[in-house]
Amino acid sequence: MAAPDFLDMLHLGLQYVQDYAPVLVGGTLIAVSAQLLLSLAILEGVWRSIGQVPPTERQRQEEDPSHNPLFRHCPGLQERVAWRSVGQYPTPIHKAGLSLPSGQSLSFWIKREDMASPLYGGNKVRTLEYLLAACEAHRAEHPAARFHV
């Protein structure tokens, strides 16, 4: 099955907006539509710039796929998606509490993705693991390639 192109993604996004338009009202519909279209444009740009790149032999040798939750749950992706471990995992989960003005207290859990790296915080680290590995694999196949930020 071929990967969906930008028009397929745009069609799905517009279908989503049409399906849920009766539920959403006013500014909310506009905000959701704008966010969806922006997200689709960003995804299209990333996909077209590099695309899905399989791991290099060096990446296969140096990385343990059992440390990647995506590969543990979808092992078929190990040979199709380049990946480099950049973060320090697992990140901790902390229990937190909140007292409401009504006197009721809530407790909840927080996954501390900001602690995945001392240099970079949040989910950027998990995203970079795939993007940097894809750049590395692309460069190995196309040594003359240049990447501009």
Side-chain angles (χ1 to χ4, degrees):
M1 180 174 158
D5 65 9
F6 178 66
L7 292 178
D8 292 335
M9 291 189 301
L10 182 60
H11 176 73
L12 288 172
L14 293 175
Q15 186 63 47
Y16 174 84
V17 171
Q18 288 174 345
D19 289 347
Y20 291 96
V23 178
L24 304 171
V25 291
T28 304
L29 175 60
I30 293 169
V32 169
S33 300
Q35 180 64 39
L36 183 62
L37 292 175
L38 178 62
S39 298
L40 289 173
I42 291 170
L43 285 173
E44 189 263 345
V46 170
W47 178 259
R48 294 214 190 275
S49 68
I50 294 179
Q52 180 179 323
V53 180
T56 64
E57 189 58 40
R58 181 176 176 186
Q59 289 171 334
R60 285 187 191 102
Q61 292 171 357
E62 294 177 357
E63 297 296 340
D64 182 357
S66 69
H67 292 152
N68 182 320
L70 179 63
F71 294 163
R72 283 197 306 269
H73 295 286
C74 303
L77 293 177
Q78 292 177 21
E79 295 300 316
R80 298 177 63 193
V81 178
W83 172 75
R84 281 289 192 182
S85 181
V86 177
Q88 300 169 356
Y89 304 109
T91 55
I93 300 174
H94 294 158
K95 188 173 185 174
L98 180 65
S99 295
L100 301 176
S102 65
Q104 184 182 12
S105 60
L106 296 173
S107 63
F108 50 93
W109 297 93
I110 300 173
K111 177 77 167 149
R112 296 294 308 270
E113 289 294 287
D114 60 313
M115 298 178 75
S117 169
L119 298 175
Y120 321 102
N123 61 354
K124 294 182 293 293
V125 177
R126 292 193 191 269
T127 302
L128 283 172
E129 291 182 330
Y130 298 98
L131 291 176
L132 293 175
C135 290
E136 177 187 355
H138 183 81
R139 184 88 184 256
E141 189 174 326
H142 306 283
R146 296 291 177 259
F147 301 99
H148 303 279
V149 177

